[in-house]
Amino acid sequence: MIEIRGFSPGAAAPDPFCDSYPHPIDLRQIKFFTIFGAKLRLPKEKSHAPFSPVCGRSLNTNGSFISHATAVAEVMRCLGVDAEGLSSTEVEARLRQYGRNRLPDAQHKGPLLRFAQQFDNVLIYALLVAAIITGVLGHWVDTSVIVGVVVINAIVGFIQEGKAESALAAIQSMLAPLASVKREGQRVRINAEMLVLGDLVLLESGDRVPADLRLIELRNLQIDESALTGESVPVAKTPENVAPTAEIGDRKCLAYCGTVVTYGQGLGVVIATGEQTEIGRIGRMLREVEELSTPLLRKIAVFGRWLAVATFVVALLTVLFGHFLRGHSWEEMFLVAVGLAVAAIPEGLPALMTITLAIGVQRMAKRNTIVRRLPAVESLGSVTVICTDKTGTLTKNEMTVQRVITTEGVYEVGGSGYAPHGDFSYEGEPVTPLETPLLFDVARAGLLCNDAVLRKSGDHWELQGDPTEGALLTLSHKVGVDPHRHGTERTDSIPFESQNRYMATLHRDESHHFIVVKGAPETILSMSDTQRGPEGDETLDHAYWTAHIEACGAMGMRVLAVALKPVERLKALHSDHMQGGYVLLGLYGIIDPPREEAIASVARCRAAGIRIKMITGDHALTARNIGLQLGIGDGCMALTGAELEALDDDALRQAVRDVDVFARASPEHKLRLVKALQANGEIVAMTGDGVNDAPALKRADVGVAMGRKGTDAARQASEIVLTDDNFKSITAAVEEGRTTFDNITKAILFTLPTNGGEAGVLIAALLGGMVMPITAVQILWVNMVTEITLGLSLAVEPAERDVMSRQPRDPRAPILSALLSWRVLFVSLLLIAGTLGLFMWEMTQHGDVAMSRTVAVNALVMGEIFYLWNSRYTYDSVLNRRGLFGNRFVLYAIGTLLVFQALFTYAPFMQKLFGTADIDAAQWLRIVGFGVALMLLVEIEKALLRHRHAHRGHKAKV
Ligand code: ATP
């Protein structure tokens, strides 16, 4: 395998910690070790204490780690590891011996408790009370049917919720944390579960510490330990050991599992994994237990409670009315009341909605979006603004240097991607870069100030590290810079942080020390006084460089500048060394083309009434141009971070109404932007990847973290994670969010008329002084079979065709708008009319109550079957191929239900249980006729609505 690396001594790995940095303790020189013997009590071995694989003794005592009071060398020796890291055989042996680095799963409810919880619902209590009273009155059939239905309902709920939970857990596990480790001298990224005692772990800002570490070296490392100590101010770490008695918060040389690196870098050795870590020992769970609920589901639960109260009141009034005004016996009236309660209560609805939500989450996972917090599914449907990063989300993040600009002029660079092949030209004429000193210097500087690694696997060049640096690495190879001949030893560096917008490295060769810095051109220009010319260093020509920066920006190129400063002998690099005195070598013009799919997605979002705001760290001109290519902004207006800072909150609120492109923006600006947008009433989705993005991600209505380049800190702060970092997936998530919300609405819209119709039939019969057209147990039957068959098929309903061409949903709007409440009433009335009408017709024909009831029940079910078709589209017509046959689950559900109804009608044991009787073909014909009529009437109602109202405007209110 061919490999190209950023430069370090002898062209060895540019690992800033293990190869080129001066070690506070040179691990390769260790010949002896010191023990704080006298002062340190020897650890009493505890069963859970981590053992040293080498010393064979426990590493801690009473919660106080020897490792924080012991020299790094001793800790390393005890752990049997050197500066190269563990070997793979050693790792395997330790994994076998100590197990994986895994915390015990958050307490899951046992199956019994989960089953019992199915009964914990006011609606079910009401049914159970009814069962007890019917039992006391000796109506055993009613009691057993009610109990049977409640139990079946609980079983269905239990199974479905179990499935939903495990589906969600499987999706969550896709977010397994990764760790950067050094093993056998190689830096590799592994699943954090595979870490073992003695592994060398590299930390960077944004990382979640994957195990307890004894820090070996660090650079400005700061860690937020609030997960462990509750203290939210980040702790500055040091590699020096501390007193054995130091409290957890004072053990500055340890990094604890589950805490988050907020700044800097570090290298540490694993001293405890899994349950042995500090967080594992105190039993605090890192994995949040996701509640299977959302604001909408809670709203529905409240609605259910109100419904139960209302049902109780109506049932009471009915009993009183029937007894006193109609002269029925108490017992008779009580059974009617039970029937009414059973009729009005949508007992299957809560489970149905949970399942719909879980299916939505699964669908999103298939489209590269992992939902971390369920309420996001709802919020996504209401999003009005998406604030997105540019690099990698809207663009391909495959950077290529296309121009190098020196004091001599512009050099065009051929080739694309990371393959190190491409020709150079100057004013249209080919040039030999090795004979062009200024061009060579710029390319070499880009190699020196670089941490990326390029590997060739097959025909493809794979990049490890920052794409911008990858582009510079490729350039240096195209030029022919040989790291072995043209390199120097790198002795220190300041890594790139987006708030600084530069990276600097300190170098030394036989006789010189110098600093190389590369970064945003404004930043580098402000550090430079001179420029490298053909005859030597000359005064900086600001206007020349600015003109080139603008020309590149106008073409959508990302521009980086590079400069150099000779220094006296220097050990370490600080920000003080970055103040001035640099010689500007030149500029790189880098292209990063927009993703084709992002252009289409931006257009889809627009059609869906969603505005896109691009917030980037790049130059305003570059941002405007890329924005224009993507359809974001007008290509003229962009607000920079500096301009944004000058605005007060009111002015910013106004600005965010007009401006879509924000350039040279820092994470703090993102937070202000979210706040300003929210103050304008917008529902905001915000993307982010860095640790400093966390506040903005948390503040946004939907925080969207990048799964690939995003840090653990960003993931933890966000509601959803994109596994492919692609803007397209945000659009897909919005679509799925809207669809899921639609399906929940459809489930409600389908279920409620069933209950309304049933209750209405009973009340109408009572008021009219008729025999009950449907008995309580028959009503239970209808509820049960329709909800477990018909209702479920709506949970998997695909997106409606216009789901992305309507306005976002107003989150304050009620679940059922006035229009949809009318639909519930209308269908309830149709069901009442059909069921009662057919019952009365039968009674007048033959007077057989059992047979008439059988017809009534089948009419009710048939009405629901046809209404299920109507419910597939809330407003659109279903009288077409797609509408009638587009969801095969609807067809399966109807088939199953017809089998159930045949059993219900003709099976002798069912006839005994439910008091049904055989019915003939003519009666079936009338039943089906009623179903068809109901369906057509609802379609006519939809057509009228579509015709009368500005269709789309109303749809937005769904
Ligand atoms: P976003 O992802 O938010 O669209 P970005 O990735 O373009 O933004 P940053 O990574 O913050 O933004 O980069 C800001 C600027 O810093 C860039 O325009 C570039 O000039 C400079 N820069 C980027 N990467 C590096 C690097 N590795 N070394 C030095 N300078 C860099």
Side-chain angles (χ1 to χ4, degrees):
M1 188 197 284
I2 304 172
E3 188 173 283
I4 305 176
R5 289 169 176 273
F7 183 76
S8 62
D15 187 328
F17 290 104
C18 294
D19 292 308
S20 49
Y21 273 44
H23 291 266
I25 297 161
D26 186 347
L27 301 168
R28 286 163 288 201
Q29 303 298 316
I30 299 168
K31 300 260 176 359
F32 61 91
F33 55 89
T34 29
I35 303 179
F36 287 66
K39 286 183 186 166
L40 256 173
R41 271 173 287 145
L42 267 178
K44 268 191 220 142
E45 312 240 85
K46 270 191 183 176
S47 62
H48 63 262
F51 277 89
S52 150
V54 172
C55 308
R57 60 165 211 248
S58 171
L59 282 173
N60 70 356
T61 171
N62 299 331
S64 107
F65 279 83
I66 293 180
S67 27
H68 65 257
T70 311
V72 165
E74 162 63 354
V75 175
M76 302 270 295
R77 201 197 65 87
C78 275
L79 290 165
V81 61
D82 62 16
E84 296 299 297
L86 296 173
S87 67
S88 49
T89 41
E90 188 56 40
V91 169
E92 268 171 40
R94 292 187 187 191
L95 267 178
R96 268 198 305 276
Q97 194 177 351
Y98 301 104
R100 290 187 174 207
N101 173 33
R102 191 162 43 191
L103 288 174
D105 271 352
Q107 277 275 298
H108 275 298
K109 293 178 224 153
L112 262 180
L113 183 66
R114 279 207 296 123
F115 186 67
Q117 276 184 346
Q118 299 295 325
F119 297 91
D120 183 17
N121 180 330
V122 199
L123 309 181
I124 302 292
Y125 296 160
L127 290 181
L128 289 176
V129 170
I132 294 170
I133 300 178
T134 45
V136 171
L137 294 174
H139 291 268
W140 291 110
V141 174
D142 295 54
T143 313
S144 44
V145 172
I146 297 177
V147 171
V149 164
V150 168
V151 171
I152 290 176
N153 189 61
I155 293 175
V156 172
F158 173 77
I159 296 173
Q160 294 293 359
E161 280 189 15
K163 271 197 205 159
E165 261 180 21
S166 44
L168 294 182
I171 289 167
Q172 294 291 324
S173 70
M174 290 164 76
L175 289 177
L178 299 174
S180 290
V181 292
K182 190 169 186 195
R183 287 178 177 170
E184 294 178 328
Q186 293 281 327
R187 182 180 174 154
V188 275
R189 224 148 144 73
I190 58 161
N191 184 332
E193 276 195 6
M194 307 310 274
L195 281 178
V196 292
L197 285 187
D199 254 328
L200 298 181
V201 176
L202 293 130
L203 298 174
E204 286 179 341
S205 60
D207 283 355
R208 201 178 79 170
V209 180
D212 282 359
L213 309 177
R214 169 69 164 90
L215 294 167
I216 300 171
E217 313 178 6
L218 42 92
R219 163 165 283 283
N220 301 330
L221 186 69
Q222 291 181 18
I223 297 187
D224 173 355
E225 296 189 335
S226 53
L228 191 67
T229 60
E231 173 59 60
S232 58
V233 181
V235 181
K237 295 288 177 180
T238 56
E240 287 79 36
N241 33 323
V242 295
T245 50
E247 293 296 323
I248 289 186
D250 298 328
R251 296 178 198 164
K252 299 266 168 69
C253 59
L254 297 190
Y256 291 105
C257 178
T259 58
V260 175
V261 179
T262 54
Y263 195 82
Q265 295 181 329
L267 171 76
V269 58
V270 175
I271 52 169
T273 57
E275 284 178 59
Q276 270 77 51
T277 58
E278 203 58 41
I279 205 147
R281 280 154 27 93
I282 61 171
R284 196 170 297 172
M285 293 310 139
L286 289 176
R287 197 181 302 171
E288 300 146 45
V289 192
E290 183 64 65
E291 225 189 298
L292 217 57
S293 188
T294 72
L296 175 64
L297 292 196
R298 282 192 284 273
K299 262 193 220 168
I300 295 289
V302 172
F303 170 71
R305 262 173 257 151
W306 279 111
L307 198 66
V309 172
T311 309
F312 179 76
V313 172
V314 173
L316 192 72
L317 290 177
T318 316
V319 170
L320 297 177
F321 173 84
H323 182 72
F324 292 113
L325 296 181
R326 291 264 181 250
H328 295 294
S329 72
W330 282 116
E331 192 179 328
E332 215 179 319
M333 281 324 298
F334 177 73
L335 289 179
V336 174
V338 169
L340 204 59
V342 167
I345 291 173
E347 59 275 341
L349 193 57
L352 186 56
M353 300 212 315
T354 310
I355 294 154
T356 310
L357 208 59
I359 289 175
V361 171
Q362 268 177 314
R363 280 185 183 171
M364 287 191 194
K366 282 198 194 117
R367 299 180 74 179
N368 303 320
T369 306
I370 296 175
V371 176
R372 291 189 68 246
R373 303 203 177 97
L374 270 184
V377 182
E378 281 168 26
S379 324
L380 272 169
S382 308
V383 162
T384 55
V385 174
I386 299 175
C387 296
T388 170
D389 291 344
K390 172 179 72 70
T391 312
T393 313
L394 291 167
T395 64
K396 292 184 176 162
N397 212 6
E398 287 166 9
M399 309 237 182
T400 314
V401 179
Q402 270 201 336
R403 293 186 155 188
V404 175
I405 300 152
T406 68
T407 42
E408 288 171 328
V410 180
Y411 292 92
E412 302 288 344
V413 188
S416 67
Y418 296 118
H421 314 293
D423 297 328
F424 290 78
S425 62
Y426 180 77
E427 292 180 351
E429 295 296 315
V431 289
T432 313
L434 282 177
E435 292 163 10
T436 319
L438 294 184
L439 170 61
F440 181 87
D441 282 354
V442 173
R444 176 176 175 250
L447 173 72
L448 295 178
C449 189
N450 204 316
D451 279 338
V453 179
L454 278 172
R455 287 202 182 95
K456 188 174 187 196
S457 68
D459 284 342
H460 188 69
W461 286 86
E462 275 169 18
L463 170 74
Q464 194 184 318
D466 181 351
T468 309
E469 291 180 11
L472 302 189
L473 210 51
T474 302
L475 173 78
S476 72
H477 266 254
K478 285 178 183 169
V479 166
V481 185
D482 178 351
H484 294 277
R485 277 201 308 123
H486 302 116
T488 64
E489 184 183 0
R490 189 211 273 189
T491 50
D492 199 6
S493 72
I494 299 179
F496 175 74
E497 297 270 356
S498 39
Q499 61 263 48
N500 297 340
R501 298 208 178 92
Y502 67 78
M503 168 180 172
T505 47
L506 179 61
H507 299 266
R508 164 177 83 189
D509 55 25
E510 291 92 50
S511 49
H512 305 94
H513 292 254
F514 59 92
I515 305 170
V516 181
V517 60
K518 71 172 195 308
E522 311 91 286
T523 314
I524 307 300
L525 275 174
S526 70
M527 297 175 184
S528 309
D529 316 319
T530 50
Q531 60 192 33
R532 175 76 35 102
E535 310 301 331
D537 296 348
E538 49 195 54
T539 317
L540 189 76
D541 180 354
H542 229 282
Y544 171 82
W545 297 109
T546 311
H548 279 294
I549 293 165
E550 286 180 0
C552 289
M555 284 191 284
M557 285 184 186
R558 150 176 292 221
V559 188
L560 250 73
V562 65
L564 178 142
K565 175 161 88 169
V567 283
E568 292 298 311
R569 192 180 180 74
L570 204 64
K571 265 203 176 140
L573 206 50
H574 297 295
S575 48
D576 299 349
H577 302 124
M578 310 311 302
Q579 302 305 338
Y582 281 82
V583 185
L584 187 70
L585 300 180
L587 304 176
Y588 310 96
I590 303 174
I591 54 150
D592 177 17
R595 293 175 184 262
E596 285 88 20
E597 65 272 28
I599 301 174
S601 298
V602 168
R604 288 194 78 203
C605 285
R606 283 201 161 172
I610 300 170
R611 267 182 91 169
I612 312 295
K613 311 258 173 204
M614 185 171 88
I615 306 176
T616 173
D618 234 327
H619 192 280
L621 272 166
T622 313
R624 261 163 40 184
N625 186 284
I626 297 278
L628 194 64
Q629 293 179 36
L630 286 156
I632 304 172
D634 56 3
C636 300
M637 238 188 320
L639 199 69
T640 63
E643 288 163 349
L644 191 151
E645 268 166 33
L647 299 178
D648 65 13
D649 288 350
D650 282 341
L652 186 61
R653 277 181 64 177
Q654 185 52 45
V656 294
R657 287 202 181 99
D658 309 325
V659 182
D660 289 335
V661 175
F662 299 87
R664 289 288 187 238
S666 315
E668 307 79 64
H669 299 140
K670 283 189 173 179
L671 182 61
R672 275 197 76 198
L673 285 171
V674 175
K675 286 184 180 166
L677 285 163
Q678 286 176 333
N680 286 347
E682 308 282 6
I683 308 290
V684 186
M686 163 70 81
T687 69
D689 46 23
V691 59
N692 299 328
D693 288 337
L697 290 173
K698 273 194 192 142
R699 173 71 198 224
D701 299 274
V702 183
V704 185
M706 298 299 146
R708 287 195 187 163
K709 70 169 183 169
T711 57
D712 296 331
R715 287 184 193 188
Q716 278 180 29
S718 58
E719 270 83 28
I720 61 175
V721 177
L722 305 183
T723 54
D724 60 353
D725 295 8
N726 192 335
F727 183 79
K728 183 178 160 211
S729 303
I730 310 179
T731 321
V734 168
E735 182 179 340
E736 290 299 345
R738 289 184 173 195
T739 306
T740 307
F741 199 93
D742 275 1
N743 289 354
I744 290 180
T745 315
K746 286 174 191 176
I748 300 171
L749 210 54
F750 170 73
T751 310
L752 291 187
T754 314
N755 299 98
E758 288 166 355
V761 166
L762 294 194
I763 293 173
L766 194 76
L767 292 176
M770 292 160 53
V771 187
M772 283 297 128
I774 307 179
T775 65
V777 288
Q778 288 173 341
I779 286 176
L780 270 176
W781 164 265
V782 175
N783 279 3
M784 188 183 67
V785 293
T786 54
E787 271 160 31
I788 60 173
T789 54
L790 302 187
L792 271 182
S793 66
L794 287 178
V796 290
E797 189 59 47
E800 283 197 37
R801 221 182 325 215
D802 69 341
V803 72
M804 290 301 272
S805 53
R806 49 171 117 128
Q807 294 299 305
R809 189 181 62 87
D810 179 352
R812 287 159 305 187
I815 309 157
L816 289 187
S817 60
L819 223 58
L820 296 186
S821 308
W822 150 247
R823 171 83 51 80
V824 171
L825 184 71
F826 177 59
V827 179
S828 302
L829 290 175
L830 289 180
L831 285 172
I832 296 169
T835 313
L836 263 186
L838 282 176
F839 176 77
M840 283 158 66
W841 162 270
E842 292 294 329
M843 287 295 281
T844 52
Q845 295 301 304
H846 47 70
D848 182 336
V849 179
M851 189 188 278
S852 307
R853 281 181 173 159
T854 311
V855 169
V857 171
N858 278 313
L860 190 62
V861 171
M862 199 55 76
E864 287 184 31
I865 287 179
F866 280 93
Y867 179 52
L868 179 71
W869 263 303
N870 294 128
S871 304
R872 290 201 56 214
Y873 305 145
T874 312
Y875 290 92
D876 279 346
S877 168
V878 291
L879 298 178
N880 49 53
R881 223 179 114 87
R882 188 169 173 262
L884 294 177
F885 305 108
N887 178 350
R888 64 196 152 93
F889 293 99
V890 165
L891 305 178
Y892 297 156
I894 292 173
T896 316
L897 185 56
L898 290 178
V899 173
F900 279 143
Q901 281 312 107
L903 279 175
F904 173 82
T905 310
Y906 299 108
F909 74 97
M910 289 288 217
Q911 292 191 342
K912 227 169 132 202
L913 209 61
F914 290 100
T916 48
D918 293 357
I919 55 174
D920 62 22
Q923 286 163 319
W924 275 116
L925 214 62
R926 280 193 289 275
I927 292 170
V928 174
F930 159 64
V932 173
L934 181 142
M935 181 179 179
L936 294 179
L937 284 171
V938 177
E939 287 303 309
I940 292 172
E941 182 246 13
K942 283 188 195 174
L944 286 177
L945 284 181
R946 285 198 300 269
H947 185 69
R948 258 189 54 200
H949 302 281
H951 172 49
R952 305 220 175 279
H954 281 280
K955 287 182 98 172
K957 295 198 189 101
V958 176

